[in-house]
Amino acid sequence: MEIAPAEIERVALAALRRAGVPEAPARQQVALLLEAELRGYPSHGLLRLPRIVERIANGVVDPESRGEAHWRGGALLAVDGRRGLGPVVALAALDTICERARETGLALAAIRDCDHLGMLAWYAEEVARRGQVLIALTISEALVHPFGGRRAMLGTNPVAIGVPAEPAPFVFDMATSIVAMGKIHDHAVRGEPIPAGWALDAAGNPTTDAAAAKQGALAPFGGAKGYGLALAFEVLVASLTACALGPEVRGTLDSEHPCNKGDVFIVVEPAAGMAQAITGFLDAVRASPPAESGRPVRVPGDRAAAARAAALGRAIAVAPAVWRRLLVLAGEVRDVAGDAAQDLARDEAGAGRAA
Amino acid sequence: MEIAPAEIERVALAALRRAGVPEAPARQQVALLLEAELRGYPSHGLLRLPRIVERIANGVVDPESRGEAHWRGGALLAVDGRRGLGPVVALAALDTICERARETGLALAAIRDCDHLGMLAWYAEEVARRGQVLIALTISEALVHPFGGRRAMLGTNPVAIGVPAEPAPFVFDMATSIVAMGKIHDHAVRGEPIPAGWALDAAGNPTTDAAAAKQGALAPFGGAKGYGLALAFEVLVASLTACALGPEVRGTLDSEHPCNKGDVFIVVEPAAGMAQAITGFLDAVRASPPAESGRPVRVPGDRAAAARAAALGRAIAVAPAVWRRLLVLAGEVRDVAGDAAQDLARDEAGAGRAA
């Protein structure tokens, strides 16, 4: 279904309002989900909203919390998320450290116990547009097996880096798993096999059966190096935020547990006059000879920027089940037989594990 | 040849003294190279010393410089390396920001224009042992092609992360290239092919011929994601240090150019009481079921720690040509026919491009 962004926003806001979310945080949460849709990452988009509402209903998310912050030293902000919505707690912390970094050169927010942050690229772009550098790290429930291991012991542990450049900032955002768990679910729903090397089954054996992989573990990207990086990020985030680690992380995928993962933002003032030089370098990389003629070299963020430019001002494709569920949550359609929820269960399972 | 560490140290110090390096910086430089040998990374070890001496002789390294630092804000130290030796400038900066981070919670050193830092794990371990977290980034001359590209546009751009744990810190250190250029040279010297996917030749075509690969470009590790990460690190380091970028980086491989790359250190105070939790998590990862029985899951740093423990107090294996060259540089052997230098050229070519 194709829906105008303004209409999506109206319905999503109504759904959050009905769940008890005040106006300002609701707008932050919806802006984030809409941006994910615009950039072509529906796994981090509207599909997430029903789970957020469910988590609020279950009392594991407090829609009025912005977290409690205190300075641990002049440049390190320790934030207890107090079960707040991810973007709400994160943006409050980010505003505080961005301001502080203007005086101190850099500042860090060590956040724990707030809900899922969503797409990290959004924060990176926001900060880089304001002229500062952002390094963002977060962890998730254990979904990824160690290199040479069989059991899910690590989160998908994404990293995002935003750097001011002209005319648009450089934005990089990736998970350290070889692929999102959502992609495994996509394949399972469509009954398609997954490529060898993506995942293990519940017993820890390699599998190309997507249904079996859903019960198992994802591979880290890039073999031993990618595994090392994912592990280093998890240990780093835990050391700074005092959050849970590995199989003890909860609440990034389910609707029952308070979220006990950690997030780290580092904001830095760039050296003067580098935005132009960086743009020149990125253009040189894009203009360098491609491996296949006709397929120019791309720079991280190029695809998302193109998707966003193409989508802007247009209607957005939303899965019918997702849209119906949003309408139900907004109180605009009655869910007589619970069929909207059922239709959605399949899609949601995919997105929920796309953390 | 097997040489006692004390004897290596004596000769290496004599070589640096003869090149005009004062006692304290000479000791720092030698300590770093010896540690690389102990941990089983000879490509970052003694092999590097002749090039350092050559760079001093050519005036592109100033052995008396410790760099010039000024605070850009209360927590960001901007360092002009002034052609100083890598470890000398880096350790001075690190001491300064470690002390500052005790007050501010974190501090960053943005360093440019000092020589090659060597093995980043050394710095990460040093800081983590003192109870602080280190994130270290550096860039190198362009040796790595973009994903989907043909030409070397990026450095090997390593990252190291050190986190306090009990009894030993967690230390992670990797380059973002699929393999070190030194390994390509090793294969070339031995006349062995390299695995498919490691490198391109000078024309940008895939090759398994090591000699052809030496003239070409290394692949980034981990495909598109690893490429994105390598690029993000390069852009990040340049934004903070105002250093050169991509094909304009010089002096990490040659003996003729001042080194114009950048390095970034971020030191952070960890949350209280996390060292034990991190150790418990790492042990759980090690104890998780292995893919192949009898080959336990490893954690980054395990191999280097084992190598170091085995090597400690014992003689170190040094390539005869390297040792002869050190003796010549120390003035303890006369290089009548220049044969030591010739013998070494082969080894050095490998190490020089192992940046």
Side-chain angles (χ1 to χ4, degrees):
Chain A
M1 294 178 75
E2 305 260 310
I3 323 254
E7 173 67 358
I8 296 177
E9 192 179 16
R10 187 188 67 74
V11 171
L13 282 172
L16 287 177
R17 203 176 294 128
R18 209 156 159 250
V21 185
E23 190 66 15
R27 286 195 177 277
Q28 289 177 324
Q29 181 68 65
V30 170
L32 172 74
L33 300 178
L34 256 178
E35 270 298 317
E37 296 284 346
L38 286 175
R39 290 171 199 213
Y41 297 106
S43 65
H44 281 62
L46 297 170
L47 212 50
R48 300 252 173 192
L49 199 131
R51 185 173 302 273
I52 292 169
V53 170
E54 215 169 270
R55 291 178 59 78
I56 295 170
N58 290 345
V60 294
V61 167
D62 173 0
E64 301 196 5
S65 168
R66 287 167 55 95
E68 286 179 9
H70 71 273
W71 289 101
R72 210 163 78 203
L76 198 166
L77 188 74
V79 180
D80 179 342
R82 297 239 158 212
R83 301 191 180 187
L85 288 162
V88 174
V89 173
L91 287 173
L94 211 44
D95 280 347
T96 306
I97 63 169
C98 283
E99 196 186 324
R100 181 59 56 97
R102 302 228 179 260
E103 299 157 31
T104 52
L106 84 157
L108 184 150
I111 307 172
R112 55 178 283 186
D113 299 344
C114 78
D115 222 51
H116 192 264
L117 256 52
M119 182 180 56
L120 291 183
W122 188 57
Y123 305 93
E125 181 155 348
E126 185 68 22
V127 171
R129 263 192 209 295
R130 297 185 209 160
Q132 292 177 310
V133 165
L134 179 69
I135 305 168
L137 297 168
T138 184
I139 66 171
S140 78
E141 279 168 62
L143 290 173
V144 176
H145 65 78
F147 180 77
R150 282 172 183 264
R151 186 178 292 164
M153 297 297 292
L154 305 171
T156 53
N157 303 356
V159 55
I161 293 174
V163 177
E166 301 291 350
F170 172 85
V171 178
F172 175 68
D173 179 5
M174 70 159 198
T176 50
S177 51
I178 198 164
V179 74
M181 186 54 98
K183 274 214 179 172
I184 307 285
H185 285 259
D186 281 350
H187 282 73
V189 165
R190 286 185 279 114
E192 286 176 12
I194 55 171
W198 275 18
L200 306 177
D201 63 19
N205 295 314
T207 184
T208 57
D209 174 6
K214 280 166 60 178
Q215 310 305 323
L218 297 170
F221 93 105
K225 288 192 175 199
Y227 154 60
L229 194 70
L231 185 64
F233 285 163
E234 184 137 352
V235 164
L236 177 65
V237 168
S239 178
L240 303 185
T241 66
C243 69
L245 274 158
E248 289 175 6
V249 179
R250 294 277 178 278
T252 65
L253 309 175
D254 62 61
S255 297
E256 289 77 41
H257 296 95
C259 195
N260 61 0
K261 53 83 185 137
D263 318 290
V264 170
F265 287 140
I266 306 175
V267 171
V268 197
E269 286 288 312
M274 285 305 290
Q276 296 280 353
I278 287 166
T279 302
F281 170 61
L282 296 175
D283 284 343
V285 172
R286 288 186 185 101
S288 73
E292 288 177 49
S293 75
R295 300 195 60 179
V297 172
R298 273 202 303 222
V299 157
D302 282 357
R303 192 193 320 222
R308 191 177 195 282
L312 218 57
R314 289 199 187 177
I316 294 174
V318 183
V322 173
W323 183 241
R324 191 137 42 104
R325 184 84 178 122
L326 290 192
L327 290 172
V328 169
L329 291 174
E332 305 199 354
V333 160
R334 258 210 311 161
D335 189 21
V336 184
D339 56 339
Q342 265 174 23
D343 283 2
L344 187 66
R346 200 184 56 189
D347 297 354
E348 216 184 6
R353 303 223 341 143
Chain B
M1 294 176 76
E2 307 259 311
I3 322 254
E7 173 67 358
I8 295 177
E9 192 180 14
R10 187 188 68 73
V11 171
L13 282 173
L16 287 177
R17 205 175 293 128
R18 207 152 161 253
V21 184
E23 190 67 14
R27 287 195 176 276
Q28 289 176 323
Q29 181 67 65
V30 170
L32 172 73
L33 300 178
L34 255 178
E35 269 298 317
E37 296 285 346
L38 286 174
R39 290 171 198 214
Y41 296 107
S43 65
H44 282 63
L46 298 171
L47 212 50
R48 299 252 174 191
L49 199 132
R51 185 172 302 274
I52 293 168
V53 170
E54 214 168 89
R55 290 178 60 77
I56 295 170
N58 289 347
V60 293
V61 167
D62 173 359
E64 301 197 5
S65 168
R66 288 168 54 95
E68 284 179 11
H70 72 273
W71 290 100
R72 211 163 78 203
L76 198 166
L77 189 74
V79 180
D80 179 341
R82 297 241 159 211
R83 301 192 181 187
L85 288 162
V88 174
V89 173
L91 287 173
L94 211 44
D95 280 346
T96 306
I97 63 169
C98 283
E99 196 185 325
R100 181 58 58 95
R102 301 228 179 259
E103 299 158 31
T104 52
L106 84 158
L108 184 151
I111 307 172
R112 55 178 282 185
D113 298 344
C114 77
D115 222 51
H116 192 264
L117 257 51
M119 183 179 56
L120 292 183
W122 189 58
Y123 305 93
E125 181 155 348
E126 186 68 21
V127 172
R129 264 193 207 292
R130 297 185 209 161
Q132 293 178 309
V133 164
L134 179 69
I135 305 167
L137 297 167
T138 184
I139 65 170
S140 80
E141 278 169 65
L143 291 173
V144 176
H145 65 77
F147 180 77
R150 282 172 182 265
R151 186 177 293 163
M153 297 297 291
L154 306 171
T156 54
N157 302 357
V159 55
I161 293 174
V163 178
E166 303 289 348
F170 171 84
V171 178
F172 175 68
D173 179 4
M174 70 160 199
T176 52
S177 52
I178 198 164
V179 74
M181 186 53 99
K183 273 214 179 172
I184 307 285
H185 285 260
D186 281 351
H187 282 72
V189 165
R190 286 185 279 115
E192 287 176 11
I194 55 171
W198 275 18
L200 306 176
D201 63 19
N205 296 312
T207 184
T208 55
D209 174 6
K214 282 167 59 177
Q215 311 303 323
L218 297 171
F221 94 105
K225 287 191 175 201
Y227 155 58
L229 194 70
L231 185 64
F233 285 162
E234 183 136 354
V235 164
L236 177 66
V237 168
S239 178
L240 302 186
T241 66
C243 70
L245 274 157
E248 288 175 6
V249 178
R250 293 278 180 278
T252 66
L253 310 175
D254 62 62
S255 298
E256 290 78 40
H257 296 95
C259 194
N260 61 1
K261 52 85 184 135
D263 318 290
V264 170
F265 287 141
I266 306 175
V267 171
V268 198
E269 285 289 311
M274 285 305 291
Q276 295 279 354
I278 287 166
T279 302
F281 170 61
L282 297 174
D283 284 342
V285 172
R286 289 187 185 99
S288 72
E292 287 177 47
S293 74
R295 300 194 60 178
V297 172
R298 274 202 302 223
V299 156
D302 282 357
R303 192 193 319 221
R308 191 177 193 282
L312 218 57
R314 291 198 186 178
I316 294 174
V318 183
V322 173
W323 183 241
R324 189 135 45 105
R325 183 84 176 120
L326 291 192
L327 290 172
V328 169
L329 292 173
E332 303 199 356
V333 160
R334 260 212 310 162
D335 189 22
V336 184
D339 56 340
Q342 263 174 24
D343 282 2
L344 188 66
R346 201 183 54 186
D347 297 353
E348 216 184 7
R353 300 220 347 141

